[in-house]
């Protein structure tokens, strides 16, 4: 039974949030929790609606075994605040936009992904950098940051579920 839903949000929903979506879904699957989680991604900007992920993001993710081929860009909506328990923003602009949309009765958690970074070398980095207009080398760093933080986010959520069930 699905009991936890997680939405990753960036600007275009073609680079960072679909990467986080694919990485987190893969971690959920490997933990044997596929049936308990619903994972999705969305963007705050509408330039790429219905488009597949950026080919540079998809290629970088594919090298580490993540499949983004079925994902398509969509806009985040106010309804998402009633559908998702965790809404996870890639940068502070996304977070500010989400905070403006956030209904006062939202009972879930709205956080920056890199609040969950675990590696000491990432502690100073608060945002997943937007790789869209940068060079090719931005994409592996985005994936490194996302893999590290998603592993900790999954642990965090599992701990919260365990605490609730005690
Ligand atoms: P994302 O990257 O927010 O990680 O999906 C971007 C993709 C497209 C644009 C900006 C950022 N754009 O301006 O089209």
């Amino acid at each position: 039974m699905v009991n936890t839903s997680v939405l990753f949000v960036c600007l275009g929903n073609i680079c960072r949030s679909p990467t986080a979506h694919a990485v987190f879904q893969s971690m959920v699957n490997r933990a044997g929790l596929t049936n308990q989680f619903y994972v999705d991604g969305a963007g705050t900007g509408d330039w790429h609606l219905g488009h597949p992920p950026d080919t540079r993001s998809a290629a970088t993710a594919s090298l580490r075994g993540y499949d983004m081929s079925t994902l398509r860009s969509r806009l985040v909506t106010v309804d998402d605040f009633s559908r998702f328990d965790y809404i996870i923003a890639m940068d502070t602009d996304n977070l500010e936009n989400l905070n403006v949309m956030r209904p006062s009765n939202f009972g879930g958690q709205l956080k920056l992904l890199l609040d969950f970074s675990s590696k000491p070398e990432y502690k100073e980095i608060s945002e997943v950098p937007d790789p869209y207009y940068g060079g090719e080398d931005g994409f592996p760093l985005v994936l490194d940051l996302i893999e590290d933080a998603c592993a900790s986010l999954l642990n965090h959520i599992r701990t919260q579920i365990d605490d609730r069930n005690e």
Side-chain angles (χ1 to χ4, degrees), residues 6-159:
V6 183
L7 179 68
F8 295 99
V9 178
C10 63
L11 180 58
N13 191 213
I14 57 168
C15 296
R16 293 165 294 174
S17 55
T19 301
H21 179 169
V23 166
F24 192 79
Q25 184 70 64
S26 166
M27 290 174 174
V28 163
N29 295 348
R30 276 185 275 140
L33 299 170
T34 309
N35 295 336
Q36 293 173 47
F37 276 78
Y38 178 68
V39 185
D40 200 5
T44 59
D46 62 3
W47 307 281
H48 301 283
L49 297 185
H51 293 186
D54 184 284
T55 52
R56 299 163 297 175
S57 293
T60 306
S62 174
L63 286 175
R64 294 194 205 169
Y66 303 109
D67 178 17
M68 293 162 63
S69 63
T70 61
L71 306 182
R72 296 293 179 268
S73 174
R74 75 165 177 88
L75 265 182
V76 66
T77 68
V78 174
D79 283 349
D80 287 320
F81 286 87
S82 49
R83 295 175 55 219
F84 289 91
D85 304 305
Y86 296 85
I87 298 184
I88 307 294
M90 297 296 131
D91 66 35
T92 51
D93 279 349
N94 313 144
L95 186 65
E96 279 172 22
N97 283 321
L98 289 163
N99 262 317
V100 169
M101 296 174 71
R102 173 189 186 141
S104 55
N105 63 352
F106 175 56
Q109 296 187 30
L110 174 57
K111 300 269 189 200
L112 278 176
L113 179 63
L114 297 195
D115 286 350
F116 298 95
S117 292
S118 72
K119 289 190 176 164
E121 65 264 38
Y122 296 157
K123 289 289 181 199
E124 301 301 309
I125 309 176
S126 60
E127 307 179 291
V128 182
D130 183 346
Y132 188 69
Y133 291 111
E136 293 289 328
D137 56 348
F139 290 86
L141 172 63
V142 163
L143 186 52
D144 289 343
L145 291 166
I146 285 174
E147 284 186 317
D148 175 60
C150 277
S152 301
L153 173 63
L154 181 55
N155 284 336
H156 169 82
I157 293 174
R158 293 183 76 174
T159 303

